[in-house]
Amino acid sequence: MRKYGYIVAIFLYFNISLSNAQDLLFYQLSISPKDPSKIMIEVDTSLLGSIKAIPARSFRTRNNQPTLYCVTSKISQTLNYQEPTFCEKVTWTLTLQEVDRLGLDPTQHIDTYSPDKQWIFISEYNSFPSFESHHGHLPATVCSPSGICKPLPQSEEPPLLLVLGQKKEDIQIKNKTITVQSDSKVVMNHLSIWKPTLKHQLNYISRIFPAPNSSSWQIAFFSSHFNFTSRRGVIGKNTVVVNTPMQGGMLTDESIHSMLVFAAHESVHLLENRQHPVWAAESLAEYYGIKSLFGTGYAMDKPVENWRTFAKNFSLSGTGLIQANENVTKKNLHQYYPIFSIKGAAFWYELDKALQSKHSDLDDMIKFLDFDENGQFSQGFIERLTRIVGEKNWQLIAYKYL
Ligand SMILES: [Zn+2]
C-alpha cells in the first residue's frame, strides 16, 4: 500500500511538473540591434493549441495595447485580442520613450530608456498582455535580454516593473535580501555613506510591518534634478523605484535624506499587506519613512515642523485627513494628496509622542490598526488608543488633524 502510494506520488509529481513546464509562457525580451528604443518580445506558443490574448493591465485611463503578431510557419499576421487563434509564436514591440532631462517619473508607468546611461524601465501596464489556452489562464515569466526572469504578477498584485542596465549591490537583513541599484555612478560610488543607514531603516520597518511573503525586493534609485521631488517613487511587485534628487550631479545630505525617506516610504507600501484607506496608507508610509531616519545622521526636520512650514503656503491646509481622503478617492481631487503625506505624517508623529509619554509607542499599535467603511478609525481602535493616551489628549490630536 505504501509502495503504491509512493509510485502514485512520483507519477503525480512528474505529471504536474510536466504540465506546468508546458503551460508556463516565457516572454523573451531583446533590444532591437538597429534601434535601442525598441524592445522586441517573443513568446513560444507552439505547444498550446489555440490561445487567446488578454489585454495588458492598463494604467488609469491610458488604454493603448501593443499590436500583437501571430506567427506560424506560413504567415505572420496581426493577432486580435480575445480571439482564439493558433500561433507558433506571438511577438510584439514596445517603443521606449527617451528619459526627460529632469529625470524619470516612474509614477506614470511609461516605458523609458536612457541612451546615455543605457538603462531601461518597463512597466507591465499597457506592455505585457497575458494569454489563455482552453485550460484557462497561462502563467508567464518575463525574461530580460541578459536572461534574468521575473513572473508576470497576478491581477490583484502590484505590476511588474523591470529596471535593466543598472549597477547592483545586495543588502542582507535577517532572512531578507534587498538589492539596491542605481543609474548614477555617484550614488553607487558612495554606497558606504548611505547603505548602512538604509540597512538600519529596512531592518526597522520590516520589524514593524512584517510581511511574511516579502523575502526579497529591489530598490532602484534614479538620479533626478533636485526640483523634481514631486515625482518620488512607486512600487511594483517586489520592486521599489525612487528618485534621488541631485544637486548639479552631486549627492548632498539633502539628496541622501530624500532618497532614504522615499526608499523606506515605498518599502512600507511593499511590506504592508493590509488594505488601509489611502490617507492612512500614505501618511503611515511617510511617517515611517521619516521615523526610520530618527537617530541617524540623515534625520531632518520633525514632521510637525514640516507641516507648519508647508501649511503656511498651502491653501487647502485646513482640510482634515478624512475629508481629504474623501476628496481624493470619491471626487478625484488629487490636489488634496499632500495632506496625506505632510499633515498625515505630523498626525502620526503627535500620536506617537503622546503614546511614548505614556510608555507606549506607535510601533506597538500598528498590528491593531483598524478602520471602518468611511475610512475612519474603528471604535475598537480608538478605545485602545484612548485607554493609553486618555480621552482628552486623543480629542485634541483628532481635532487638529483628522
Ligand atoms: Zn506612498
Side-chain angles (χ1 to χ4, degrees):
M1 190 64 199
R2 180 174 284 181
K3 201 170 183 184
Y4 173 74
Y6 180 65
I7 291 166
V8 169
I10 290 181
F11 173 75
L12 279 174
Y13 172 76
F14 278 109
N15 207 15
I16 288 164
S17 51
L18 200 68
S19 71
N20 279 352
Q22 277 174 354
D23 289 352
L24 180 66
L25 296 176
F26 287 89
Y27 293 14
Q28 184 57 56
L29 272 58
S30 59
I31 303 169
S32 161
K34 291 185 203 132
D35 180 354
S37 73
K38 302 268 190 259
I39 299 290
M40 300 173 306
I41 298 157
E42 195 175 301
V43 186
D44 182 345
T45 53
S46 57
L47 299 174
L48 295 168
S50 77
I51 45 137
K52 201 161 81 172
I54 311 296
R57 288 199 272 174
S58 56
F59 181 63
R60 295 196 181 144
T61 54
R62 205 169 69 215
N63 203 16
N64 53 314
Q65 293 289 330
T67 304
L68 306 179
Y69 292 92
C70 171
V71 182
T72 63
S73 54
K74 295 197 183 94
I75 196 167
S76 166
Q77 59 186 0
T78 317
L79 173 64
N80 293 327
Y81 286 90
Q82 309 284 9
E83 254 175 43
T85 314
F86 171 78
C87 309
E88 275 165 22
K89 60 185 181 183
V90 177
T91 66
W92 66 99
T93 301
L94 301 175
T95 301
L96 313 177
Q97 227 174 65
E98 194 173 324
V99 66
D100 186 90
R101 61 181 183 84
L102 292 177
L104 170 75
D105 181 356
T107 64
Q108 292 307 307
H109 293 273
I110 292 171
D111 299 338
T112 307
Y113 81 118
S114 162
D116 306 335
K117 295 181 178 173
Q118 302 199 333
W119 55 255
I120 290 170
F121 168 83
I122 300 175
S123 165
E124 175 195 332
Y125 288 145
N126 306 82
S127 297
F128 295 129
S130 58
F131 296 91
E132 282 177 5
S133 70
H134 61 277
H135 294 306
H137 170 78
L138 294 161
T141 184
V142 178
C143 299
S144 73
S146 64
I148 296 165
C149 300
K150 285 182 156 197
L152 195 64
Q154 307 283 320
S155 57
E156 69 282 1
E157 294 179 311
L160 174 68
L161 299 178
L162 288 180
V163 185
L164 311 174
Q166 295 188 340
K167 253 181 102 174
K168 294 176 183 176
E169 172 103 6
D170 283 349
I171 295 180
Q172 296 291 344
I173 52 164
K174 284 196 197 123
N175 43 10
K176 299 186 197 317
T177 305
I178 295 107
T179 305
V180 288
Q181 58 185 77
S182 179
D183 66 323
S184 161
K185 279 197 184 114
V186 180
V187 170
M188 293 311 275
N189 288 345
H190 290 83
L191 273 169
S192 62
I193 63 167
W194 58 266
K195 192 178 145 186
T197 310
L198 181 62
K199 182 173 176 167
H200 159 85
Q201 293 175 280
L202 295 172
N203 234 324
Y204 171 62
I205 58 171
S206 38
R207 222 171 51 232
I208 311 296
F209 303 91
N213 47 5
S214 295
S215 60
S216 63
W217 68 97
Q218 65 176 151
I219 304 177
F221 293 103
F222 280 90
S223 54
S224 65
H225 197 267
F226 68 92
N227 56 16
F228 200 54
T229 48
S230 59
R231 279 74 169 179
R232 302 172 41 151
V234 75
I235 62 160
K237 165 109 174 154
N238 295 334
T239 310
V240 165
V241 177
V242 284
N243 269 318
T244 303
M246 302 186 61
Q247 300 264 12
M250 299 304 289
L251 205 53
T252 62
D253 279 359
E254 222 176 315
S255 322
I256 298 174
H257 167 84
S258 299
M259 70 183 260
L260 294 177
V261 170
F262 300 170
H265 173 121
E266 299 300 339
S267 296
V268 170
H269 284 316
L270 198 133
L271 288 166
E272 176 56 275
N273 285 351
R274 298 164 296 177
Q275 277 281 349
H276 295 319
V278 185
W279 78 265
E282 278 311 319
S283 56
L284 260 186
E286 185 67 7
Y287 178 56
Y288 275 95
I290 297 168
K291 188 179 179 185
S292 62
L293 281 178
F294 287 174
T296 74
Y298 295 105
M300 286 199 178
D301 285 352
K302 298 279 188 295
V304 171
E305 286 138 35
N306 279 341
W307 170 241
R308 223 173 271 145
T309 316
F310 183 84
K312 280 183 202 148
N313 301 313
F314 185 58
S315 60
L316 309 172
S317 60
T319 314
L321 285 158
I322 306 297
Q323 183 60 49
N325 191 62
E326 178 122 353
N327 293 351
V328 168
T329 56
K330 297 206 176 125
K331 301 178 194 157
N332 262 326
L333 299 170
H334 286 274
Q335 61 270 40
Y336 286 89
Y337 222 88
I339 303 257
F340 301 156
S341 50
I342 310 179
K343 193 172 191 172
F347 161 72
W348 292 112
Y349 176 77
E350 281 215 31
L351 183 60
D352 203 1
K353 281 269 150 224
L355 287 161
Q356 285 168 17
S357 72
K358 305 287 181 189
H359 311 290
S360 181
D361 194 307
L362 184 62
D363 299 2
D364 304 329
M365 306 299 285
I366 295 298
K367 55 180 171 294
F368 300 116
L369 273 177
D370 191 31
F371 299 87
D372 66 18
E373 62 282 4
N374 300 317
Q376 315 216 21
F377 287 127
S378 70
Q379 214 45 47
F381 185 71
I382 292 176
E383 277 163 22
R384 190 181 281 278
L385 284 176
T386 50
R387 269 203 300 275
I388 304 169
V389 300
E391 181 70 32
K392 205 174 151 202
N393 260 339
W394 166 247
Q395 286 301 341
L396 278 172
I397 298 170
Y399 178 75
K400 203 159 151 193
Y401 294 102
L402 295 182

